[in-house]
Amino acid sequence: QSLVPRPAIPGPSTTATVTKTDKRPTTMPGDREQRKAGRRAKQLAVMDKKGNEEANFFWRCVNQAANKPRQTQRLSPQVEQELFGKQLTQGINFDQYDNIPVSRACTGPVQACEAIPSLEDYQQLGQILPPFLNQNIQRMGYSRPTPIQRHAVPLALDGRADLMCCAQTGSGKTCAFLLPACAIITSLPPPPPLLPLLPLVPRAAVPC
């Protein structure tokens, strides 16, 4: 008797199924925008806090400076020689400056161009400028103004109208606007103590 293997009888198969559970919440587009807006709000809050601290510090400094009496300090001869000893007092032919054409024009309700004469010599400002500015003019060796200074300084010191000037490089524009600006600023009384929330109002604008 021979032994013949019996064919395998198919039976129910067992299949193991593994399901991975993702515990991370499903992210919706709206949730992402909300988190982004929240981070931006925190950043803005930090910036506002820093800005308020800087503004309070600034106004504390302003109040301290306003309550402190003004002190005048005389330059030592060594410092004065170092600052003003190398200024050019010769070599500039001011007679050639007189040949430069200059036009003055006024628009608007204030017609000050014809009423205010030009500046021919810096000594004419002796009774108008504060003493320290007159002394610095002498230290710099200025006597005759350049064309832009001759016409701009008197109009700026008058202060009745805005002033716009145009001149080439090296013509003396810096002195033309700094001299009246310093004279007007130093003539103002000391500012009273200011509250931290008051807006800052500039008294002078320096174009660059």
Side-chain angles (χ1 to χ4, degrees):
Q1 184 179 0
S2 61
L3 297 178
V4 178
R6 303 170 109 191
I9 300 175
S13 60
T14 303
T15 303
T17 303
V18 178
T19 304
K20 182 178 180 181
T21 303
D22 193 352
K23 297 183 179 180
R24 293 179 298 178
T26 303
T27 302
M28 303 297 294
D31 298 338
R32 187 182 299 110
E33 295 298 329
Q34 290 179 358
R35 291 200 301 270
K36 184 178 180 181
R39 291 193 298 269
R40 181 58 179 168
K42 292 181 180 179
Q43 294 174 353
L44 292 176
V46 173
M47 294 172 59
D48 290 341
K49 181 180 179 181
K50 181 180 179 181
N52 291 332
E53 292 176 352
E54 293 176 351
N56 292 333
F57 175 76
F58 169 79
W59 287 112
R60 286 197 302 269
C61 294
V62 171
N63 289 329
Q64 293 175 2
N67 296 327
K68 186 181 299 183
R70 292 186 178 182
Q71 299 178 355
T72 57
Q73 184 177 2
R74 174 68 180 179
L75 291 177
S76 65
Q78 294 80 5
V79 175
E80 183 175 335
Q81 177 65 24
E82 181 180 354
L83 292 175
F84 301 99
K86 298 181 181 180
Q87 300 302 323
L88 296 177
T89 57
Q90 296 179 355
I92 299 178
N93 189 353
F94 281 91
D95 294 333
Q96 297 296 328
Y97 273 117
D98 296 335
N99 298 327
I100 299 176
V102 178
S103 61
R104 299 170 62 172
C106 289
T107 59
V110 179
Q111 298 293 326
C113 288
E114 301 300 332
I116 300 176
S118 60
L119 177 67
E120 301 301 330
D121 194 291
Y122 274 110
Q123 293 183 356
Q124 297 175 230
L125 303 177
Q127 301 298 324
I128 301 175
L129 300 180
F132 80 93
L133 282 180
N134 286 319
Q135 294 172 3
N136 286 340
I137 290 175
Q138 295 176 3
R139 293 188 181 108
M140 292 293 295
Y142 291 170
S143 58
R144 296 178 59 184
T146 64
I148 188 67
Q149 298 167 2
R150 182 183 302 122
H151 296 278
V153 171
L155 292 171
L157 289 173
D158 179 77
R160 286 183 292 172
D162 295 333
L163 184 62
M164 181 177 293
C165 302
C166 180
Q168 66 184 25
T169 302
S171 57
K173 295 188 299 295
T174 303
C175 176
F177 74 81
L178 277 183
L179 193 64
C182 293
I184 294 174
I185 291 174
T186 54
S187 66
L188 298 174
L194 301 176
L195 297 176
L197 298 180
L198 289 180
L200 179 61
V201 179
R203 295 181 180 270
V206 179
C208 299

